[in-house]
Amino acid sequence: MIPYPAHIPSRPFQYRVLVYAVAACAFTTGIAALLLRVFDLSNVVMVFLLTVMLVALRWGRAAGALAAVVAVASFDFFFVPPVWSFHVSDTQYLFTFLLMLVVALITGQLAARLRAEAVGAAAGERRANALATVATDLSVAVQDEDIARICDTRIGPLLDGKVTLLLPGRDERMPSSGHGDTGIAQWVLEEGLPAGRGTETLPANSATYLPLTTPLRTRGVLMLERGAAQPLDAEQLGLLRAFQSLLALAIERVHFVEVAHETQLRVEGERLRNALLSAVSHDMRTPLTAIRGMAGMLGESEVAQAIVNQADRMQRQVTNLLDAARLQSEGVRLDLQWHALDELVGSALAATPLGARQVVVDIPAELPLVELDATLFEHVLVNLFDNATKYTPGDATLYIRAGHAGSKLRLRVEDDGPGFPPGIDIQALFAEFARGTRESAVPGVGLGLSLSRRIVEAHGGSISASRREPHGACFDILLAAGEPPAVDLEDPA
């Protein structure tokens, strides 16, 4: 994650603390003058050392060093004979001054270091408490709105500004929400780099835009607006970096929670739909069988034959519904055997009422056997032939061709009917319940091609559709050629 900014800003030095140090030494000089009435000069020195230590603890190293120098100078000027002068009558006092200065400096620096460590520990505790509070709030957030509210109410005050969460829509574009510059936010989202105030990109902007990056992608943008011209201090910068990571992970968690919820709803919907399809299909089989049986009792009349044909067609639709429910719940289970392709085509043609349509079959005799589940693959062919009868006129011609296509076998089913409606996505017809025309007098529920694709793909093949020139529809099935077993021929008697 890109830090913001690239360096940690240091707090400006407060020169007034030096004035406080001098004032403390002046006050100590007055106290020492009073103590000299009771104690010796050697005891008064300890008061100056105490002052140096207290100044360093309160105002830091620089103030402590200045206090050490001023304390030694005050001790010399006001208390060492001759007083009111820096002249030293006894050279032994020079050693006293030097020793006093060294002790004062060391004591002051140790006290300043102790103060710095205490301040750092307090800042670390505050940062840890703030992070723990925000992390707790984010852990129970279940919507993006919850995270946005945490940014506004929790994170913003900690950074002395206003923090706004900007999230893209489903098209990965930043919406015009009225917060910040949409163009800058979009650039940060796409590039994964910070921009705006305090960065190298558009530093004159009034707000800072930070990417919320996860290992997968950039999930959103964090916008920080601060009224003060002073940059973030080291503590706030550490918090900001931690908040970036926490917010990015929280947004990603919420995203996957929504995905899991939608998936669960979809699975429950599929289960309910399959149960409904199975129940309805089973209930429809009995009356269909009765209708077909009673139609057969009417003889060979045209009306009876029409009833039989419609009952057979309805039976195929019911079979498609049952197969869809079964394949959805149990998957495709294949009973693979070696079969001749022309025999499967002939069996499927016999099971499909083609009426007066012409059928042209071109399957070479030398075509090898194919390893298939005969029942399921015949179901694929019946669906294709049934589509041809539903969407072509009664005098149309159906072409069935087979041959080699590289290392695979190709089976092509064509017709010279009107073909697919213009302006539709042909491959989308293989989706469940998809039809070329939503409102059509042609019977069907849009399951035949979907089942056909699942069965063909379970065989390791593929099926596709295209427009036939100059008109008509074409379906291509590609299957693995395989190595058929050798057939032992019996010797003639």
Side-chain angles (χ1 to χ4, degrees):
M1 183 172 292
I2 304 297
Y4 158 79
H7 64 281
I8 299 177
S10 57
R11 290 188 177 183
F13 181 74
Q14 304 293 330
Y15 288 96
R16 64 175 179 271
V17 300
L18 301 181
V19 178
Y20 298 156
V22 174
C25 291
F27 178 75
T28 303
T29 301
I31 297 298
L34 297 176
L35 293 177
L36 277 177
R37 300 176 182 178
V38 181
F39 301 101
D40 294 334
L41 188 61
S42 59
N43 295 325
V44 174
V45 173
M46 302 305 297
V47 178
F48 285 97
L49 293 180
L50 177 63
T51 300
V52 171
M53 184 181 67
L54 294 177
V55 168
L57 280 174
R58 182 63 181 85
W59 293 300
R61 288 185 173 87
L66 178 62
V69 175
V70 173
V72 172
S74 298
F75 180 74
D76 178 22
F77 189 81
F78 292 106
F79 302 111
V80 176
V83 296
W84 308 105
S85 170
F86 289 106
H87 178 71
V88 180
S89 60
D90 191 348
T91 56
Q92 292 183 358
Y93 280 110
L94 294 176
F95 176 74
T96 302
F97 296 155
L98 179 61
L99 183 61
M100 178 181 175
L101 179 61
V102 172
V103 172
L105 287 174
I106 293 176
T107 303
Q109 295 306 306
L110 290 176
R113 179 183 298 178
L114 179 63
R115 172 182 177 273
E117 291 177 353
V119 171
E125 183 179 2
R126 289 194 302 270
R127 185 165 57 249
N129 290 335
L131 286 175
T133 301
V134 173
T136 301
D137 292 341
L138 291 175
S139 66
V140 297
V142 294
Q143 294 180 341
D144 293 334
E145 290 76 10
D146 299 333
I147 301 177
R149 184 170 58 255
I150 293 171
C151 290
D152 184 35
T153 60
R154 289 284 192 183
I155 299 178
L158 293 173
L159 301 178
D160 298 329
K162 181 181 179 182
V163 174
T164 305
L165 180 64
L166 305 177
L167 297 176
R170 292 188 178 273
D171 57 352
E172 294 300 318
R173 304 296 300 177
M174 282 291 183
S176 300
S177 58
H179 298 289
D181 191 309
T182 304
I184 298 177
Q186 184 66 37
W187 183 88
V188 172
L189 179 71
E190 295 176 353
E191 300 296 329
L193 299 172
R197 178 181 172 185
T199 68
E200 297 179 358
T201 305
L202 301 175
N205 200 277
S206 60
T208 304
Y209 299 82
L210 305 172
L212 300 177
T213 306
T214 66
L216 296 179
R217 49 177 288 192
T218 300
R219 292 288 178 184
V221 176
L222 187 68
M223 184 178 70
L224 172 62
E225 298 173 288
R226 301 180 78 233
Q230 182 178 347
L232 295 173
D233 58 30
E235 180 180 350
Q236 291 175 326
L237 178 62
L239 285 174
L240 179 58
R241 290 173 176 170
F243 290 150
Q244 277 184 267
S245 300
L246 288 175
L247 289 172
L249 293 176
I251 295 172
E252 188 164 70
R253 177 182 59 80
V254 169
H255 168 73
F256 284 119
V257 167
E258 293 177 353
V259 171
H261 181 63
E262 292 176 359
T263 302
Q264 183 179 7
L265 291 179
R266 191 179 299 113
V267 169
E268 292 297 330
E270 289 289 336
R271 185 180 294 113
L272 179 61
R273 185 179 67 177
N274 292 334
L276 180 61
L277 290 178
S278 180
V280 171
S281 301
H282 278 293
D283 291 342
M284 290 178 65
R285 275 192 162 183
T286 300
L288 281 176
T289 302
I291 291 173
R292 197 183 190 287
M294 287 185 289
M297 297 173 60
L298 296 178
E300 299 295 333
S301 65
E302 183 177 349
V303 174
Q305 189 60 40
I307 295 175
V308 170
N309 291 339
Q310 291 302 320
D312 289 342
R313 177 164 292 172
M314 183 63 70
Q315 184 68 35
R316 286 193 293 272
Q317 293 181 16
V318 171
T319 302
N320 282 340
L321 290 172
L322 283 173
D323 288 343
R326 179 173 57 84
L327 295 180
Q328 190 72 23
S329 60
E330 302 177 4
V332 182
R333 298 180 181 179
L334 302 178
D335 180 16
L336 298 177
Q337 302 291 335
W338 293 94
H339 298 277
L341 200 55
D342 54 351
E343 293 181 358
L344 295 177
V345 171
S347 177
L349 287 173
T352 308
L354 298 174
R357 295 171 181 82
Q358 300 294 319
V359 179
V360 178
V361 179
D362 181 13
I363 300 179
E366 65 274 10
L367 202 67
L369 300 179
V370 186
E371 192 175 23
L372 298 169
D373 185 313
T375 303
L376 290 178
F377 194 76
E378 183 179 329
H379 194 42
V380 172
L381 297 177
V382 169
N383 282 332
L384 296 181
F385 299 159
D386 187 55
N387 273 350
T389 62
K390 289 191 294 186
Y391 294 100
T392 60
D395 58 349
T397 303
L398 184 63
Y399 301 91
I400 304 169
R401 300 183 176 94
H404 287 280
S407 61
K408 295 181 178 295
L409 293 179
R410 168 178 287 167
L411 177 64
R412 176 171 292 178
V413 179
E414 300 175 296
D415 63 67
D416 57 359
F420 300 105
I424 69 168
D425 183 2
I426 299 177
Q427 303 309 319
L429 296 176
F430 289 96
E432 289 185 350
F433 303 101
R435 304 188 66 189
T437 305
R438 290 185 177 272
E439 299 296 335
S440 174
V442 179
V445 294
L447 278 176
L449 292 182
S450 173
L451 287 172
S452 298
R453 166 167 282 185
R454 292 195 62 180
I455 294 172
V456 171
E457 290 179 349
H459 283 84
S462 63
I463 181 172
S464 60
S466 60
R467 289 184 170 86
R468 181 179 182 271
E469 296 297 337
H471 54 82
C474 175
F475 290 90
D476 269 327
I477 299 176
L478 292 177
L479 298 170
E483 292 291 338
V487 179
D488 294 332
L489 298 178
E490 296 183 359
D491 294 333

